[in-house]
Amino acid sequence: MTAADQRPGAAMPPADGMRPGGPTPGGPTPGGPTSGGLTPGGPTSGGPVPGGGRPPRRWLKIIVVFLLIAIPAGYLVISALQSRNGGEDKAEAASAKGLSAGYPTRVQRRIYDVPVPPYSKKVAFYETNSWKVSSLYVQFVTSRDGLDSFLTKLGTRRSALDKGEVTITKEQARKVGWQVGAPGHDWAGMVIKQKDPQPKLRITVKFDNPAHPKVYVVSTVTP
């Protein structure tokens, strides 16, 4: 054995060119980032960089909260005003017991012969029925022309109204809460009698406002 054979030589690299215990070709370096990924502890993909995003728009949140409070409050105010105005227009009808606001049905108007003029205000009615007699109570505010048209359809006229006369009885008025005949008002009235089964009408008009007289009617039908 020669001296060269006895001297240790340099280690030969493996055939694949990698050191023993080293990483595989193309593999990640120990402790380094994974292939195609992010460094552990780094920001997530697509998220804002800490300290680099937009500050929150607090003023926008304040406006949204204000609108959520203000809009419902506005509707409440409007509803209250509408209710008050509607209540003023129907105050008398509401205070009169038994009366229902609105026009009687067409059938009722035809049976009881009460042709309420179009565009009348504060219209209300009440119907009672029994085996002996049926009655329809109607009130409305109309114009001069409306009153003339109403009376003409009943076969009469304004001149037939007796000034100062209240033809609706106290018992009838009390039934629906009417204050007909109260002193200090300009009253006039008439009674229209017809053969059975045609209705009998008691009409009383309040002329406190001559341009807009208020008409009270009690029409009675006897079967």
Side-chain angles (χ1 to χ4, degrees):
M1 178 180 294
T2 65
D5 295 331
Q6 295 178 351
R7 188 185 313 141
M12 298 296 291
D16 57 4
M18 300 300 294
R19 294 182 180 179
T24 58
T29 303
T34 57
S35 175
L38 298 173
T39 304
T44 57
S45 176
V49 178
R54 291 182 179 180
R57 296 183 178 180
R58 295 182 180 178
W59 59 269
L60 183 59
K61 294 181 181 179
I62 293 173
I63 291 176
V64 172
V65 171
F66 172 78
L67 292 176
L68 290 175
I69 296 174
I71 291 176
Y75 279 119
L76 290 176
V77 172
I78 293 172
S79 298
L81 291 175
Q82 290 177 340
S83 298
R84 185 182 68 180
N85 293 336
E88 289 175 353
D89 291 340
K90 298 178 181 179
E92 186 169 353
S95 63
K97 57 184 179 181
L99 289 172
S100 298
Y103 281 71
T105 66
R106 291 183 179 181
V107 173
Q108 289 173 317
R109 281 177 276 171
R110 184 174 67 251
I111 292 174
Y112 292 97
D113 202 9
V114 184
V116 181
Y119 309 110
S120 296
K121 304 296 183 182
K122 297 182 180 180
V123 183
F125 69 97
Y126 173 70
E127 184 180 16
T128 62
N129 295 287
S130 70
W131 66 276
K132 287 184 178 181
V133 64
S134 296
S135 298
L136 181 68
Y137 296 69
V138 184
Q139 69 175 43
F140 57 89
V141 176
T142 186
S143 62
R144 290 190 182 94
D145 292 341
L147 177 60
D148 290 339
S149 174
F150 171 72
L151 295 174
T152 298
K153 289 180 179 179
L154 294 176
T156 185
R157 60 185 60 187
R158 185 194 295 255
S159 59
L161 290 167
D162 294 328
K163 187 173 179 60
E165 188 73 18
V166 177
T167 56
I168 294 174
T169 67
K170 292 182 179 180
E171 181 181 356
Q172 290 172 332
R174 188 164 49 247
K175 184 170 292 187
V176 291
W178 283 342
Q179 301 298 318
V180 292
H185 298 281
D186 188 3
W187 300 102
M190 69 168 65
V191 176
I192 299 178
K193 296 180 179 180
Q194 304 178 93
K195 293 182 179 180
D196 293 337
Q198 296 298 316
K200 175 182 178 180
L201 287 85
R202 293 180 177 271
I203 302 171
T204 299
V205 184
K206 183 167 67 174
F207 284 103
D208 290 6
N209 183 350
H212 297 286
K214 183 164 188 176
V215 183
Y216 300 86
V217 183
V218 178
S219 178
T220 303
V221 175
T222 302

